[in-house]
Amino acid sequence: MFGWFVKGATSRVRTTRYPAHDETAPGVTPGRPVETTCDNELLAIGLAATCPTGAIKPAAFKTTADISRCVHCMACTRGENTMSWQADYRWAKWVGDNARRAARHRPFRKSLHIRVVDTGSCDAVLSEIKQLVKPYYNMHRLGFFITPTPRHADVLMVAGPVTSQMRLALLKTYAAMPEPKWVMAVGNCAISGCVFAPSFIANGSVAGVIPLDVQVPGCPPPPLAILHGLLLLTGREAEMPPVDQPLGGTP
Amino acid sequence: MTILPALFFLAMIALCVTGATLSACVAQHRIGPLLAVTGPLASLMILACATCVLITRQPMQIDLWHLPLLGLLRLRLDSVSALFVLALGISFLPAYLFSKSYMNRYPAHYNIRGFGIFFHLLLMACTLVLAAGDVVTFLFTWRLMSALATFPITLEHRQDEHRRAGYIFLAMNEAGIILATVGLLLMTAWAAGHIGFAALHQAMEHIPDGWRWAIFLIIFAGFSVKAGLVPVSSWLPRAHPVAPANMSAVLSGCMLNFGIYGIIRFDAIIMAPITAGPGLVVLAIGGLSALLGILYATTDNDLKRMLAHSSIENLGIVAVDVGAGMVFDAYHMPTIAAIAWVVAIYQMINHSAYKTLLFLGAGAIDHGTGTRDMNRLGGLLKRMPVTAVLFLVGALAISAMPPFNGFVSEWLTLQTILRSTELASRFSRVVFALCGASLALTAALSVTCFVKTFAMSFLGLPRSDTVRTAMESPPSMRLAMGILAVGCIALGLGATWMVPLVDRAMTPLTHQLAANALVPPFFTLQHGNAQFSRGFLTSFGKIGADVGSAVIPARSLVVLHQGQAANPVVYAMSTFYIAAVLIGIMLIVYLLVRLTTRRRVVRVGEPWAGGLRRLWPDMSYSATGFSNPVRVIFKSIFSPAQREDSQVAVAGHFRTAIRKPPRDTYIVDRLFLLPLVAGVKLLAGLMARLHRPAVVNAYAAWVFIVLLFVLVMNRLF
Amino acid sequence: MTKFPSSELRNFAEQCQSFGPVEMLPQSDSLVAVVNCPSEVLKSLAEFLVHSLQYNFGSLVVEAPPNQWKLIYLFYGRENPSLVQLWVYLKSDHPRVDSISDKIHSADWHERQAEDLFGLVFTGHPRLGDFVLHEEWPEGVNPMCTGFSATHPVKEQVVDPAWRPARILETPGAFLMPIGPVYADYYESAQFFLETVGEDVVRMIPRFFFKYRGVEKLAEGQPWQRVLLMAERFSGTSAIAHSTALCAALEQIYQIQPPPRALGLRLILAEIERIRHHFAVLSDICHASGMSVPSAQMDILEEQALRLSGQCAGHRYLYGWVTLGGLNRDMTLTALDTIARETQLLAKASATIHSALQFTSSFLDRFEGVGAISAAGARELALVGPIARASGVRTDLRLMLPYGPYAQDTGFLAMTEPLEQEGDGYARIRVLFAEIQQSVKLIDATVAALPTGPVRVEAGGVRGQSAFGWAEAPNGAAFHYVRLDAQGCVQRYQIATPSFANWHGFHIAAENFAFQDFPIMMASFGLSIAESDR
């Protein structure tokens, strides 16, 4: 055991410095397509057609990208005409009405207790949530904790397209949480059902079942994006900061 | 004044006989109400009788007949007997009240009329046993009592289990009576044929050691059957669950006391202890009974059988006290011996109170839900709130929680055992130490046992449908249990009043008063008690011990266990102060909670169960599960043999059922009763070989041998 | 008959005739025997395959009518590289067939699944119902049948108040400890009922499919490109394995062969995925036994593997690479160098941790002898992957049915195959560590010998109808069955996943155990519920 103590004590601190500083290590995020100018409308329509999930919408002389539908298949980066790719991760955002947000914004500023509910997610989303409590992201330093019981939870983190067999459990978990409570949808399946919608067995979105407050898009969203969502809830980070310099090239 | 107890006594007999006669006449459905009228009246009569004897300290004496050959038959109720009569009344009075609605549950084809007759007469027989003043009356009434008790136990005679339990009760008690008879006849033989207790006592002073041991062992064996001590306790866990609740309450609440009465009367009073040996035997048997009793009680899930095992435990503790008293007396430490004996009686009276309460509570649960299986109960607190609270009082009392009565006697028992360090013999000290360890374990397990009982019966979710629709018990049952609950609290809070009373009554045995050592009057005396230095008194005054005595004129509010000059450690405890502090703390907590949560909006939701559709009752801890750790730890006691689970599988791999083997054999049956039965059968088999109907000569030879034997014996003595 | 190079398969073909009117179909080739098998013969033939010829039951594919029911029982050889498909046709109005699971235990869940989803009746199966579809699903509605709309939500039925989960422990005082579906921290949703009489748990009854997303139904009528997205995403931690298996099936239908460079890259990606998966499982194992430092060390390695994927492949879970005919894009030389270098470092670090763990008695105490599965048990339940290998059963598809890049393997896999005999938690840990080393060596060798050239061949028209593709996912063998129409749209898709096979066997490990060992057993199995539930 002493050997492990030494091992632990002599290991380098690897925790990211986000949110104090940007995380610039390679491979922390798959990035996302962003608004791209096109020479003409035809090209824009052609570019939009490469997207299998309809995340890219053509407009006059440009295409817009909806991150909450993007599944990171990168089909739009392979043709002659490509989407611009932004390797950031601060893409969590508020949803729901503003009054609700204002009413809910006050109670928590520092610490949050989180109950994670898996409503049919792929393993990857849960794996990324798991990374949050692990050395590289260590959200405990920010006052965020995972709790096993919804009775102690402030935030309900939902992953997966809300299958009908999990709906009851989700509702019960939400009901078991004390007020005030927030709901966070993690991953595109929880937001829109992703590739699993429309479906006979999955509701396709958390918002259709319980009131949603924050969504973290991504397939799966990288840990930093989830962290951004949590910071957003406590008011310690702003929503979608303006695009600054790209952190890496297109892959 | 001396005529008063006798009048009460005769009134009781009259009431009992009237009740029995009326039971024979009135309609079946009126028997219950009848029991609830005549019974309590008769019980009040004997309570009055006992109180008179205790207050006046004049034994009640009625001479019956002067029989030729045997001598004078006499009823004599001295103060020791009066204490037992008190316990009798405490147990019988509520049991009779309880009968009013309880008897309705039995269908018409059961003989409730017979139950009424015998239940009425049982009180009379019990009182007569305690009032017997000579060996013949004693044995006769004892027999009568055992015979009368058998019928109420086997009320539901249509069930095999009940009949078998009745037979075992009868057979074991018969064996006990035979042993006791042999022992008492040996005593009378030494007393030159005198049958009066006083004469016996005188004769016993000059008895040789070998005979003393023999008589002690025979009598002790005989009476421990009645007291339900190990290893002759097999009848208890069988007879108690099958008897109607009012009967099992009486059976446990007072009939077991008769075993203790026999041991005290014959092994301690009549045959005053001279050597430590007999005391140590009683002590060791008591310690063993206590431990085995509570182990089985903890793991048993039938409410009444659990209570029966718990009775073995409690009577074991009483036996420990009696044994300790005998040892201390033999070592010439009369004060501590007196304390031990007083504690024994106090523990016994307490046991009568709370065990009757618990048995009636079990009966009320059975009446309300139709089951006694804790695995099928649950959630009764919401459905039977009054019963639940009353049962809780009993459970707290029996698990020796302050400020209830069980705490007083258990605390004093352990303190008395600690005083064994002053004994001269190392062997005795070792026996005491082992016994003390066993009692400490017992005390801890009894808390486990009753936490389990209360939690599994009254808390959580209902585990079966009948429990879900249970109704609160009728008023007569609640009244009966209420009286006992008040009794438990009173015996706890009023320990300082009760102890001197018991102490004074026990003088035929103790020959001196222990009250000064137990509840010294120093706080009530102006200038302090001469036994104590002023410094000691003021230090006790400083911690506030005399605050209460200024308000309540009691002998003292502190039960004290005082050391000797060489060992001046003093242990003190006061249920009264504990109660006051507890109430104060609870009040403060309540106020604080109210104050802090005044503005809080309380939202009542369903329990969180991991998003489960709903929590099924079998998803909460079962009684078996709760006590399983005890079972695992004491595996060697419960089941020495490994048994395989039986599995039902389709096609060899789809398991459709896993069955665990049923309960193991009771250890006393396994190690004592069954081998005994096997031995007797073997012997009988050998004897049966003599029965060769064809060989007449053999019979003639046997007759001749027996005749020769008798003649030789006659010649020798 | 000369088609079969494998002597066992030839034997089998000859012996088939003795069972009844069994017909070898022309779809058979050197690897696959396709047998038209009347339903009366099915049971004896399947029994012969499994118990005499050492085949594992792989999958049960059901093709619903319009015309007739077609059931494909897939078996794969443990001893010899071959597949056997038994095709059973049933009349469309008579959806009944004898259950084979009383003789072949591993078919149990496959039959229950088919019963729930198709309404097929398996006569003689003792435990049907309440499997995929739970109590709120309307009675008599079978979602996989033709005519059922994949996109239209179903009206749930009112649950019968008397409904309750099954119990098999019959003893007074027995009770259930319910776990889930929402339980500790961030675990996947599933329900476990622990049957106990206090202290020791006698038996565990799992209930899965809370996460059932109906991937196979959703795939119907969709173009293969869309189905591929789902195949990657239904179990995100084995995206490469499942997309490779699907593409392998598609490539058989289109009759194309991916170029060598694509195969090599597929291998590299698959092994990176395996390494990351094993790191995560080992971290959970350390975490479950309260070893926080080793757990954190494994976490560091896991995140390093994730970042390596993100850096070199553009996605932390390697989505968007595998496609029909090869890969979507090529990997740069720098990226390959980084992968080779970094994986070496990871291997070294994990070896250090492994050797330190071997001397940590408090860790070993929790795993030695816990959740043991005998080799016979592993064979009976056709367990796959590291769990089977820890029990001494060889089930590595890379070796047994070499596919894609592994077909060129010249004995390296066989030489380094980690096999342990004990079958307990500790054996599984050793297998996981050994597989990490094996994978890194594979990556190293492949990067060094990676040919240049294109990474994708264009697919022509659809040539075949249906095919099985397979891959060795991190958890074990995965089989994907796909049938296309002429336009390249998927008509029928079925996945047999390793987690599905292994969860079925979990109960023999989770029997008569102490309650506190439950998380340890769960962790040492390291299975995915998303993969099992689909």
Side-chain angles (χ1 to χ4, degrees):
Chain A
M1 276 324 264
F2 183 71
W4 286 115
F5 175 75
V6 173
K7 175 98 181 160
T10 53
S11 290
R12 183 163 67 78
V13 174
R14 289 160 199 273
T15 310
T16 175
R17 287 159 72 196
Y18 178 78
H21 300 270
D22 279 329
E23 177 61 59
T24 52
V28 292
T29 170
R32 62 187 168 106
V34 288
E35 197 177 283
T36 309
T37 50
C38 292
D39 292 343
N40 57 50
E41 204 167 339
L42 220 59
L43 281 178
I45 291 168
L47 189 53
T50 60
C51 183
T53 57
I56 300 172
K57 293 271 182 310
F61 301 108
K62 68 171 184 183
T63 51
T64 55
D66 175 11
I67 170 75
S68 66
R69 299 193 73 82
C70 174
V71 294
H72 305 297
C73 68
M74 291 162 202
C76 55
T77 63
R78 282 198 290 268
E80 287 171 11
N81 224 330
T82 61
M83 287 291 282
S84 309
W85 199 264
Q86 171 86 24
D88 68 351
Y89 44 82
R90 287 185 224 192
W91 59 52
K93 67 177 190 196
W94 284 99
V95 290
D97 52 284
N98 286 334
R100 181 178 158 77
R101 191 192 315 170
R104 277 154 186 271
H105 206 273
R106 263 174 274 117
F108 306 110
R109 282 190 133 346
K110 292 280 182 204
S111 179
L112 287 177
H113 281 245
I114 304 152
R115 171 70 242 191
V116 182
V117 174
D118 164 24
T119 58
S121 74
C122 69
D123 251 357
V125 178
L126 288 179
S127 167
E128 296 289 48
I129 293 174
K130 245 183 258 186
Q131 298 303 324
L132 287 176
V133 295
K134 293 181 173 182
Y136 269 100
Y137 299 99
N138 186 16
M139 67 175 181
H140 299 165
R141 76 203 148 94
L142 299 169
F144 302 146
F145 302 94
I146 303 252
T147 168
T149 163
R151 294 264 189 250
H152 300 167
D154 308 313
V155 179
L156 185 64
M157 214 182 239
V158 189
V162 195
T163 60
S164 64
Q165 325 224 52
M166 267 308 283
R167 183 170 336 128
L168 178 75
L170 177 65
L171 287 170
K172 287 199 166 211
T173 314
Y174 183 72
M177 287 169 66
E179 291 280 352
K181 50 190 171 189
W182 281 323
V183 179
M184 190 167 156
V186 180
N188 285 346
C189 345
I191 297 165
S192 63
C194 194
V195 291
F196 304 113
S199 158
F200 65 105
I201 192 120
N203 191 71
S205 81
V206 177
V209 182
I210 50 177
L212 181 65
D213 297 294
V214 163
Q215 62 178 37
V216 185
C219 186
L224 290 170
I226 306 172
L227 213 51
H228 177 243
L230 290 170
L231 291 165
L232 199 62
L233 276 173
T234 49
R236 284 146 75 179
E237 269 270 37
E239 192 177 295
M240 280 275 190
V243 177
D244 30 279
Q245 78 284 0
L247 300 170
T250 47
Chain B
M1 197 60 192
T2 45
I3 196 76
L4 209 53
L7 280 180
F8 283 129
F9 190 81
L10 292 176
M12 180 277 293
I13 291 185
L15 275 166
C16 284
V17 172
T18 317
T21 322
L22 281 175
S23 300
C25 307
V26 299
Q28 280 256 23
H29 67 274
R30 297 254 164 82
I31 304 273
L34 178 72
L35 277 169
V37 175
T38 47
L41 281 177
S43 311
L44 281 175
M45 288 303 130
I46 57 155
L47 280 175
C49 170
T51 317
C52 283
V53 171
L54 286 175
I55 290 172
T56 57
R57 280 184 277 170
Q58 293 289 321
M60 177 207 80
Q61 193 160 322
I62 303 170
D63 288 351
L64 297 176
W65 303 282
H66 204 292
L67 290 186
L69 287 175
L70 288 174
L72 182 68
L73 297 190
R74 161 185 286 173
L75 292 181
R76 189 172 189 277
L77 192 77
D78 64 359
S79 54
V80 175
S81 296
L83 285 173
F84 284 85
V85 172
L86 206 65
L88 196 72
I90 290 177
S91 184
F92 262 103
L93 174 72
Y96 278 129
L97 268 179
F98 192 82
S99 311
K100 180 177 179 285
S101 320
Y102 185 75
M103 297 315 289
N104 298 340
R105 69 199 301 261
Y106 293 102
H109 60 79
Y110 283 121
N111 192 352
I112 298 171
R113 189 182 304 284
F115 183 87
I117 298 170
F118 284 97
F119 206 42
H120 272 115
L121 293 179
L122 191 59
L123 174 64
M124 188 184 76
C126 288
T127 326
L128 283 172
V129 172
L130 295 173
D134 60 276
V135 172
V136 174
T137 318
F138 180 82
L139 286 176
F140 177 75
T141 47
W142 184 282
R143 254 244 140 74
L144 184 70
M145 175 184 77
S146 286
L148 286 179
T150 311
F151 182 82
I153 290 175
T154 53
L155 172 62
E156 293 173 75
H157 56 88
R158 276 160 215 270
Q159 297 180 35
D160 269 355
E161 191 198 348
H162 291 227
R163 276 205 306 277
R164 200 172 300 130
Y167 283 136
I168 289 177
F169 170 79
L170 199 62
M172 290 198 71
N173 275 286
E174 201 61 25
I177 292 169
I178 290 168
L179 280 173
T181 311
V182 170
L184 294 186
L185 287 182
L186 279 173
M187 271 190 171
T188 34
W190 277 96
H194 289 288
I195 53 170
F197 286 167
L200 289 182
H201 177 60
Q202 275 167 9
M204 286 300 107
E205 281 174 15
H206 312 292
I207 190 167
D209 258 4
W211 279 106
R212 173 180 283 279
W213 264 104
I215 293 175
F216 158 74
L217 284 179
I218 292 171
I219 291 182
F220 178 60
F223 287 121
S224 31
V225 174
K226 196 80 207 167
L229 296 180
V230 170
V232 280
S233 55
S234 295
W235 65 273
L236 245 124
R238 289 196 172 85
H240 281 73
V242 301
N246 40 5
M247 181 57 202
S248 44
V250 167
L251 204 56
S252 182
C254 80
M255 302 276 270
L256 297 181
N257 297 350
F258 287 92
I260 298 297
Y261 176 74
I263 293 166
I264 288 187
R265 174 66 74 192
F266 296 104
D267 281 344
I269 298 181
I270 291 183
M271 203 161 58
I274 293 173
T275 52
L280 289 178
V281 170
V282 178
L283 184 84
I285 294 282
L288 195 64
S289 303
L291 188 59
L292 285 181
I294 197 63
L295 276 178
Y296 273 90
T298 310
T299 51
D300 211 307
N301 298 322
D302 181 302
L303 266 177
K304 278 163 97 176
R305 197 161 50 221
M306 181 279 290
L307 289 173
H309 281 298
S310 154
S311 292
I312 298 177
E313 176 235 330
N314 273 278
L315 269 290
I317 296 176
V318 175
V320 165
D321 287 322
V322 172
M326 287 163 73
V327 175
F328 284 122
D329 199 38
Y331 279 108
H332 306 294
M333 299 159 81
T335 318
I336 308 179
I339 293 176
W341 278 324
V342 167
V343 172
I345 297 297
Y346 201 55
Q347 163 79 14
M348 192 196 75
I349 294 176
N350 288 343
H351 175 244
S352 293
Y354 52 60
K355 192 47 66 68
T356 309
L357 169 55
L358 291 171
F359 262 113
L360 295 184
I365 293 173
D366 195 2
H367 187 72
T369 63
T371 181
R372 300 189 311 258
D373 185 359
M374 284 184 237
N375 281 330
R376 303 188 66 227
L377 294 171
L380 286 178
L381 184 63
K382 284 187 185 145
R383 289 158 188 83
M384 309 173 80
V386 180
T387 310
V389 170
L390 296 174
F391 194 92
L392 180 63
V393 170
L396 286 172
I398 199 171
S399 37
M401 287 291 132
F404 296 97
N405 54 354
F407 174 70
V408 181
S409 46
E410 190 134 350
W411 186 83
L412 283 170
T413 301
L414 290 171
Q415 294 294 0
T416 311
I417 286 176
L418 285 179
R419 294 292 288 274
S420 64
T421 48
E422 295 159 28
L423 288 173
S425 149
R426 176 175 296 164
F427 179 71
S428 302
R429 287 206 300 271
V430 169
V431 175
F432 265 92
L434 289 176
C435 195
S438 130
L439 282 199
L441 186 55
T442 304
L445 283 174
S446 79
V447 178
T448 316
C449 175
F450 283 92
V451 165
K452 166 190 146 179
T453 306
F454 187 78
M456 292 304 148
S457 311
F458 293 101
L459 308 181
L461 295 169
R463 293 190 188 78
S464 59
D465 288 330
T466 50
V467 177
R468 213 164 286 129
T469 54
M471 301 286 281
E472 179 59 276
S473 339
S476 61
M477 290 188 182
R478 280 180 278 165
L479 177 67
M481 289 186 282
I483 292 171
L484 286 162
V486 169
C488 284
I489 296 170
L491 283 169
L493 295 182
T496 47
W497 287 279
M498 278 302 289
V499 166
L501 189 74
V502 173
D503 184 38
R504 240 174 27 206
M506 288 295 282
T507 39
L509 175 59
T510 58
H511 307 298
Q512 74 166 77
L513 290 175
N516 269 355
L518 272 179
V519 277
F522 54 76
F523 294 126
T524 49
L525 292 187
Q526 284 299 315
H527 305 291
N529 193 306
Q531 289 178 1
F532 303 95
S533 66
R534 278 219 69 85
F536 173 77
L537 291 176
T538 38
S539 69
F540 256 74
K542 262 184 200 155
I543 59 171
D546 48 357
V547 175
S549 63
V551 184
I552 304 166
R555 183 178 168 87
S556 163
L557 288 173
V558 182
V559 178
L560 198 72
H561 207 79
Q562 178 216 349
Q564 286 168 335
N567 183 20
V569 183
V570 172
Y571 308 94
M573 151 316 265
S574 164
T575 41
F576 206 91
Y577 288 138
I578 293 174
V581 171
L582 274 179
I583 291 170
I585 289 177
M586 287 197 307
L587 211 66
I588 291 169
V589 170
Y590 173 76
L591 287 176
L592 278 177
V593 169
R594 275 303 295 269
L595 210 68
T596 48
T597 62
R598 205 167 16 137
R599 297 222 184 100
R600 193 169 291 172
V601 182
V602 177
R603 195 161 55 101
V604 179
E606 55 181 320
W608 169 243
L612 208 63
R613 173 167 296 279
R614 91 184 167 78
L615 204 57
W616 280 271
D618 61 348
M619 287 176 184
S620 56
Y621 240 72
S622 69
T624 314
F626 191 92
S627 56
N628 209 38
V630 176
R631 230 187 144 68
V632 171
I633 294 168
F634 294 97
K635 204 172 188 157
S636 51
I637 288 177
F638 288 109
S639 84
Q642 284 286 333
R643 291 192 205 171
E644 285 298 311
D645 301 349
S646 66
Q647 299 193 341
V648 184
V650 177
H653 46 243
F654 291 109
R655 256 168 297 179
T656 49
I658 300 177
R659 298 199 178 98
K660 290 270 189 187
R663 221 188 145 69
D664 317 295
T665 328
Y666 184 33
I667 184 167
V668 171
D669 290 0
R670 205 167 63 222
L671 298 183
F672 179 77
L673 193 65
L674 294 180
L676 191 72
V677 169
V680 168
K681 273 188 179 163
L682 192 73
L683 204 65
L686 290 175
M687 302 279 266
R689 288 189 190 174
L690 303 175
H691 286 280
R692 294 270 171 75
V695 192
V696 182
N697 294 357
Y699 278 109
W702 281 115
V703 170
F704 179 69
I705 291 170
V706 170
L707 194 67
L708 206 64
F709 179 76
V710 171
L711 285 173
V712 169
M713 293 302 282
N714 199 28
R715 191 77 197 142
L716 280 176
F717 295 99
Chain C
M1 291 297 158
T2 47
K3 267 175 166 182
F4 305 119
S6 146
S7 58
E8 280 86 358
L9 215 52
R10 197 179 309 126
N11 276 344
F12 168 68
E14 282 157 11
Q15 280 161 340
C16 269
Q17 309 303 326
S18 65
F19 285 92
V22 175
E23 182 194 353
M24 194 67 71
L25 294 174
Q27 284 91 334
S28 309
D29 60 20
S30 60
L31 196 62
V32 187
V34 182
V35 178
N36 193 351
C37 169
S39 60
E40 315 84 69
V41 190
L42 168 70
K43 197 158 171 175
S44 46
L45 199 53
E47 211 182 330
F48 171 66
L49 269 170
V50 171
H51 295 306
S52 303
L53 299 183
Q54 307 296 322
Y55 276 73
N56 264 359
F57 183 81
S59 179
L60 166 60
V61 177
V62 182
E63 293 269 20
N67 306 321
Q68 57 189 346
W69 291 93
K70 177 182 172 191
L71 276 60
I72 305 176
Y73 291 77
L74 177 74
F75 298 85
Y76 61 101
R78 266 203 306 273
E79 307 292 328
N80 50 323
S82 56
L83 280 175
V84 173
Q85 298 177 21
L86 302 184
W87 288 11
V88 178
Y89 289 97
L90 304 174
K91 289 201 189 79
S92 60
D93 56 346
H94 185 75
R96 301 181 80 84
V97 65
D98 271 354
S99 162
I100 61 165
S101 54
D102 56 342
K103 297 292 179 206
I104 299 158
H105 200 185
S106 43
D108 173 16
W109 277 16
H110 293 271
E111 289 186 348
R112 290 178 72 179
Q113 172 180 304
E115 194 263 350
D116 256 13
L117 296 176
F118 290 94
L120 274 172
V121 177
F122 292 87
T123 45
H125 196 296
R127 208 181 292 141
L128 292 174
D130 189 36
F131 186 62
V132 177
L133 305 169
H134 290 174
E135 67 277 8
E136 63 268 337
W137 185 267
E139 211 57 50
V141 178
N142 305 109
M144 290 299 283
C145 285
T146 18
F148 181 89
S149 162
T151 52
H152 196 265
V154 172
K155 190 178 183 311
E156 288 177 8
Q157 71 174 12
V158 179
V159 178
D160 176 12
W163 179 88
R164 52 155 304 131
R167 269 180 68 173
I168 61 170
L169 181 58
E170 293 171 7
T171 190
F175 62 101
L176 296 179
M177 292 192 205
I179 297 179
V182 180
Y183 58 110
D185 292 357
Y186 30 60
Y187 286 89
E188 292 186 78
S189 298
Q191 212 167 37
F192 302 94
F193 293 119
L194 306 184
E195 287 205 275
T196 174
V197 281
E199 293 298 283
D200 287 353
V201 179
V202 177
R203 168 82 190 215
M204 186 232 29
I205 302 177
R207 277 187 93 213
F208 290 117
F209 292 97
F210 283 91
K211 299 174 64 166
Y212 178 61
R213 285 147 290 171
V215 168
E216 287 138 345
K217 181 70 188 180
L218 296 181
E220 284 179 13
Q222 303 281 348
W224 63 261
Q225 289 90 339
R226 174 88 183 178
V227 177
L228 186 58
L229 286 180
M230 276 197 271
E232 272 179 342
R233 280 162 185 78
F234 81 90
S235 171
T237 49
S238 353
I240 293 289
H242 289 294
S243 51
T244 307
L246 173 62
C247 287
L250 291 173
E251 280 151 13
Q252 282 184 49
I253 297 173
Y254 282 93
Q255 292 181 3
I256 51 171
Q257 178 71 20
R261 184 173 172 84
L263 291 178
L265 284 171
R266 276 188 188 179
L267 180 144
I268 293 168
L269 292 169
E271 298 305 323
I272 292 178
E273 181 174 272
R274 195 181 317 280
I275 292 171
R276 189 218 68 83
H277 175 269
H278 287 4
F279 280 152
V281 172
L282 286 166
S283 160
D284 280 354
I285 285 174
C286 295
H287 186 74
S289 59
M291 304 288 293
S292 43
V293 178
S295 171
Q297 297 290 331
M298 298 311 300
D299 292 338
I300 290 171
L301 298 185
E302 188 201 347
E303 174 67 14
Q304 280 173 350
L306 281 171
R307 288 190 179 185
L308 178 66
S309 313
Q311 181 187 354
C312 301
H315 192 278
R316 287 157 64 87
Y317 293 87
L318 306 169
Y319 291 179
W321 276 86
V322 180
T323 188
L324 173 62
L327 296 175
N328 272 326
R329 52 185 184 271
D330 201 354
M331 207 175 259
T332 61
L333 209 56
T334 346
L336 284 169
D337 278 350
T338 317
I339 288 173
R341 196 178 57 246
E342 290 288 323
T343 47
Q344 287 293 345
L345 292 177
L346 290 176
K348 229 171 108 188
S350 94
T352 319
I353 295 173
H354 185 202
S355 59
L357 277 177
Q358 279 173 327
F359 296 102
T360 310
S361 54
S362 60
F363 174 76
L364 298 183
D365 285 348
R366 299 299 303 273
F367 287 95
E368 273 175 324
V370 171
I373 295 180
S374 66
R379 273 190 214 104
E380 193 201 338
L381 289 154
L383 300 190
V384 293
I387 293 164
R389 292 196 273 279
S391 297
V393 179
R394 308 176 56 188
T395 56
D396 193 340
L397 285 192
R398 293 174 294 179
L399 263 170
M400 288 160 49
L401 294 170
Y403 58 94
Y406 303 100
Q408 276 87 51
D409 180 58
T410 52
F412 172 79
L413 277 167
M415 215 165 59
T416 56
E417 186 183 21
L419 274 182
E420 300 287 347
Q421 301 304 321
E422 292 90 339
D424 60 352
Y426 185 43
R428 293 195 274 274
I429 293 169
R430 293 203 301 274
V431 167
L432 292 175
F433 272 114
E435 286 194 26
I436 291 170
Q437 301 300 331
Q438 186 195 32
S439 295
V440 170
K441 288 200 186 96
L442 264 178
I443 292 173
D444 200 38
T446 314
V447 168
L450 196 65
T452 51
V455 292
R456 183 171 182 187
V457 291
E458 281 307 317
V462 177
R463 303 271 177 86
Q465 274 199 326
S466 64
F468 275 101
W470 58 89
E472 177 75 7
N475 271 324
F479 291 93
H480 287 233
Y481 169 86
V482 68
R483 180 162 61 83
L484 293 186
D485 63 4
Q487 284 75 44
C489 285
V490 173
Q491 291 302 303
R492 178 81 184 94
Y493 180 44
Q494 182 146 345
I495 320 167
T497 64
S499 291
F500 185 75
N502 284 349
W503 274 124
H504 183 220
F506 184 57
H507 73 88
I508 53 167
E511 206 159 78
N512 291 321
F513 60 95
F515 177 63
Q516 66 268 21
D517 280 345
F518 185 64
I520 297 237
M521 276 186 286
M522 291 273 283
S524 81
F525 263 68
L527 296 176
S528 160
I529 294 166
E531 195 180 38
S532 168
D533 286 1
R534 309 190 299 288

